[in-house]
Amino acid sequence: MKSEREITCIVCPNGCKLEVICNDTLIVKNALCPKGEEYARNEVMNPVRTVTSTVKVCDGVLPLVSVRSNKPVPKEKIPEIIQLLKEVELDAPVEFHQIIYGDILGAGADIIATREVKRSK
Amino acid sequence: MIIDKDVIIIGAGPAGLAAAVELKKNGVEKLVVIEREPFAGGILNQCIHDGFGVIKFNEVLTGPEYAQRYIDQAEKLCVEVLTSSMVINMSREKEITVLSPKGLVVYRAKSVILAMGCRERTRGALGIPGTRPAGIFTAGVAQHFVNLKNIMIGKRIVILGSGDIGLIMARRLTLEGSKVIAVVEKMSYSNGLARNVTQCLEDYDIPLLLSHTVINIEGKERLKSVTIAKVDDKGEPVRGTSQKVDCDTLILSVGLIPENELSKDAGMKLDEVTQGAVVDENLQTSIEGVFACGNVLQVHDLADHVSNEAEKAARSVINYLANGFEPQSKVEVIAGMGIRYVIPQAISGKRDTTFSMRVDRQWVDRKLNFSTCGRLIKSFKYKRLNPSEMVVVNLKTSDLKDVESLEVSISEE
């Protein structure tokens, strides 16, 4: 079965409008770089995204620490991951790139802190 | 008492930090960065989403991580960053008055780099009719509450304007449990990057209503509803198309304005279009020894471009400290057909020059031309050009030989 779709690449700010033709094989046109082709393949087979959010911190100079997944995760798991992170409460200090949640939902990605939060005096 | 410095940088966001690191690496020792907030990093601290650093580091980072790269370098190089300190005045003699936790401090610098960034346009600037209830936020303020303060701002949300921060907040608030009813954009195209429309709106089935705007705001204590209408190609609401949408929150993502109050007070010449300083190819302003970079010069869509511009300003400062004053260049750069603005506004034509600009509308399959007195110097082909995407091109000294004035314009292929 042949199908065609247009996908906007999200890898970089260029936002290439990729033309994807699914036949027996997958053909990707209009990509300015190889990353676009890889993105289009993923997007058709198994769309993934890096998830970013915040997690509560007790006794920190800020009440939240920003976090992300250290690898892209399946798109459909994102709402559930966000819900899981809402339950997490950390004690300050939180270190830069500290692992907040290992292998979240078995997605093969760790959730890591994207900044440090020092303890408030 | 006046403290003497070689260079003072106002603002420790992406521009100020990149400039400081570049200066210190090149041996400028007497340097201080003055930051209003308690932390360095500027607006990047609340931009927790990813997409930063692709150009600069060939890696995908979040805002705080991108900032951390520069904070780490600045710390390693022992750059002095004065936080919780606000510059309240800058004189033409480059005396800088700072309100700091230690009291009032006055610095005198040989050179100043302006890196104050920008602020958001508000409801007042749009003049939307209606009541004045609680529940109306600019996108950046909403981002600050949600990402740094752990305060949710509303449950049913309409976003006016499709700037990148608005798009990013549409996704963020959806994931946090709010219902984002629609993003409403007056223009016939998105003002944000294409990738943000895809990953922030389409991924979450949030409608983008192009050629629509909010024509009324209703509610007494808290926002109750907004009225949305279609607009014609002149931007005027079309009769009979209005509909009332129940919501408790309206987010405005309708543009950014360089924060140039200090520059204005110092009598600096500003550009009416960019609302930033008029600069030459060294990024020097109309005041000798004062340079500008980042969003205080022109609103950028990428932090990576801000860092590049700041490094360029720093190199100009190094040259200024070593070789003295070079008067603002004389060759005028004109934004011609299809171009909204070009920076720098004047060049000498004596060195390789980076130009950044924005087009005034969407263009497909067009050429971007540089010409002097009707003679074409250089031309670049583009598949598409969007007002939301800054265009950066470099010309060589050889290209700029014998230019008397330089016009940048768009033409058909």
Side-chain angles (χ1 to χ4, degrees):
Chain A
M1 198 182 75
K2 192 178 167 184
S3 75
E4 281 186 42
R5 61 193 267 217
E6 195 188 75
I7 295 176
T8 304
C9 181
I10 63 165
V11 175
C12 91
N14 284 334
C16 292
K17 301 258 182 257
L18 307 175
E19 200 184 306
V20 185
I21 303 159
C22 302
N23 216 333
D24 296 334
T25 53
L26 197 79
I27 301 161
V28 182
K29 288 184 188 167
N30 298 341
L32 285 175
C33 80
K35 283 180 187 165
E37 198 175 320
E38 190 194 327
Y39 172 75
R41 275 176 201 286
N42 274 333
E43 206 54 18
V44 174
M45 312 291 188
N46 172 35
V48 291
R49 299 281 185 270
T50 297
V51 55
T52 62
S53 189
T54 50
V55 167
K56 287 191 216 78
V57 179
C58 297
D59 301 320
V61 292
L62 288 169
L64 293 172
V65 62
S66 50
V67 300
R68 71 167 165 97
S69 59
N70 63 350
K71 276 188 211 112
V73 298
K75 201 164 104 173
E76 79 275 1
K77 287 197 172 170
I78 290 175
E80 210 180 326
I81 290 174
I82 299 275
Q83 284 313 313
L84 269 180
L85 292 176
K86 275 187 202 283
E87 308 302 317
V88 179
E89 233 170 276
L90 303 166
D91 285 318
V94 181
E95 281 169 44
F96 184 66
H97 282 180
Q98 181 181 320
I99 295 178
I100 306 298
Y101 206 119
D103 189 21
I104 196 154
L105 284 180
D110 298 333
I111 301 296
I112 57 170
T114 55
R115 66 171 296 157
E116 65 161 5
V117 177
K118 290 194 171 121
R119 222 180 145 76
S120 59
K121 279 145 215 158
Chain B
M1 194 189 71
I2 294 179
I3 306 169
D4 277 299
K5 292 280 177 191
D6 285 339
V7 186
I8 292 173
I9 299 175
I10 308 176
L17 287 172
V21 166
E22 185 71 12
L23 286 171
K24 205 72 194 251
K25 269 188 192 164
N26 286 282
V28 176
E29 287 300 322
K30 288 171 74 182
L31 163 74
V32 63
V33 188
I34 299 161
E35 171 55 47
R36 185 164 67 177
E37 295 292 319
F39 304 99
I43 207 69
L44 290 171
N45 286 322
Q46 67 184 57
C47 300
I48 65 162
H49 55 279
D50 70 339
F52 298 84
V54 183
I55 296 169
K56 211 67 191 140
F57 302 112
N58 198 23
E59 254 183 84
V60 184
L61 303 170
T62 63
E65 289 170 297
Y66 186 88
Q68 198 61 45
R69 294 261 165 135
Y70 287 93
I71 294 169
D72 286 348
Q73 286 187 67
E75 275 176 8
K76 221 168 114 190
L77 293 161
C78 301
V79 172
E80 183 186 357
V81 182
L82 208 63
T83 52
S84 302
S85 299
M86 186 158 134
V87 175
I88 56 169
N89 186 257
M90 171 180 71
S91 75
R92 291 185 79 87
E93 291 68 41
K94 295 183 279 292
E95 277 187 15
I96 308 268
T97 312
V98 182
L99 210 50
S100 82
K102 289 181 199 149
L104 208 60
V105 188
V106 181
Y107 289 96
R108 186 170 44 212
K110 291 178 187 157
S111 180
V112 176
I113 296 181
L114 305 177
M116 295 91 85
C118 60
R119 60 160 179 265
E120 297 180 279
R121 282 180 79 205
T122 60
R123 177 185 174 186
L126 302 179
I128 309 169
T131 54
R132 298 174 62 87
I136 303 170
F137 303 88
T138 55
V141 167
Q143 192 179 40
H144 185 91
F145 278 135
V146 176
N147 290 350
L148 292 177
K149 294 270 160 70
N150 199 21
I151 298 169
M152 261 313 264
I153 56 161
K155 293 195 177 105
R156 284 181 59 82
I157 300 171
V158 170
I159 300 179
L160 175 60
S162 59
D164 285 307
I165 319 168
L167 302 178
I168 296 282
M169 285 312 291
R171 171 178 65 181
R172 179 80 179 118
L173 290 161
T174 302
L175 286 170
E176 285 296 317
S178 303
K179 170 74 186 163
V180 177
I181 301 158
V183 174
V184 181
E185 170 57 55
K186 196 172 180 182
M187 306 305 283
S188 59
Y189 51 85
S190 160
N191 265 309
L193 298 173
R195 66 167 174 172
N196 284 336
V197 174
T198 300
Q199 63 181 346
C200 297
L201 301 187
E202 289 165 15
D203 270 8
Y204 296 92
D205 298 322
I206 301 167
L208 173 60
L209 301 178
L210 296 172
S211 303
H212 279 72
T213 193
V214 170
I215 57 165
N216 200 41
I217 288 171
E218 297 112 25
K220 207 169 172 194
E221 303 284 319
R222 177 82 193 195
L223 181 67
K224 272 206 142 63
S225 58
V226 296
T227 304
I228 294 172
K230 207 170 167 12
V231 295
D232 60 23
D233 46 15
K234 290 185 195 80
E236 296 297 325
V238 179
R239 198 172 286 278
T241 62
S242 70
Q243 65 182 107
K244 204 178 245 197
V245 176
D246 288 339
C247 58
D248 57 25
T249 304
L250 175 67
I251 291 178
L252 304 174
S253 181
V254 290
L256 302 166
I257 306 163
E259 197 155 351
N260 267 308
E261 275 59 36
L262 291 170
S263 329
K264 276 182 211 161
D265 287 349
M268 186 178 291
K269 198 172 162 202
L270 298 185
D271 184 308
E272 277 176 24
V273 179
T274 60
Q275 300 191 56
V278 170
V279 293
D280 62 14
E281 79 251 37
N282 299 317
L283 303 178
Q284 183 175 230
T285 68
S286 64
I287 302 178
E288 179 191 331
V290 179
F291 298 77
C293 58
N295 282 353
V296 79
L297 175 61
Q298 59 174 331
V299 175
H300 294 64
D301 25 66
L302 300 175
D304 301 56
H305 285 157
V306 167
S307 306
N308 282 338
E309 196 172 84
E311 284 163 7
K312 184 179 167 44
R315 289 192 294 272
S316 298
V317 166
I318 292 161
N319 186 38
Y320 173 75
L321 293 175
N323 304 321
F325 177 53
E326 185 180 314
Q328 250 203 351
S329 309
K330 286 286 179 294
V331 179
E332 198 189 349
V333 181
I334 303 154
M337 156 69 193
I339 303 286
R340 200 159 76 83
Y341 74 80
V342 188
I343 280 181
Q345 289 89 346
I347 58 165
S348 66
K350 287 185 199 132
R351 57 175 72 81
D352 297 355
T353 301
T354 304
F355 296 88
S356 40
M357 67 205 74
R358 280 181 197 273
V359 291
D360 62 2
R361 72 200 87 154
Q362 279 190 315
W363 296 107
V364 179
D365 290 323
R366 283 293 190 279
K367 279 198 304 196
L368 176 69
N369 305 310
F370 286 77
S371 53
T372 179
C373 310
R375 174 172 64 89
L376 185 68
I377 299 171
K378 193 100 189 171
S379 156
F380 302 86
K381 273 188 193 171
Y382 286 89
K383 191 119 191 70
R384 48 200 166 83
L385 289 158
N386 288 319
S388 62
E389 289 164 28
M390 196 170 97
V391 181
V392 181
V393 295
N394 294 299
L395 291 195
K396 294 240 172 283
T397 320
S398 51
D399 300 325
L400 296 168
K401 227 176 96 199
D402 304 324
V403 289
E404 282 164 35
S405 76
L406 190 65
E407 184 171 334
V408 189
S409 62
I410 299 286
S411 74
E412 281 183 43
E413 278 212 66

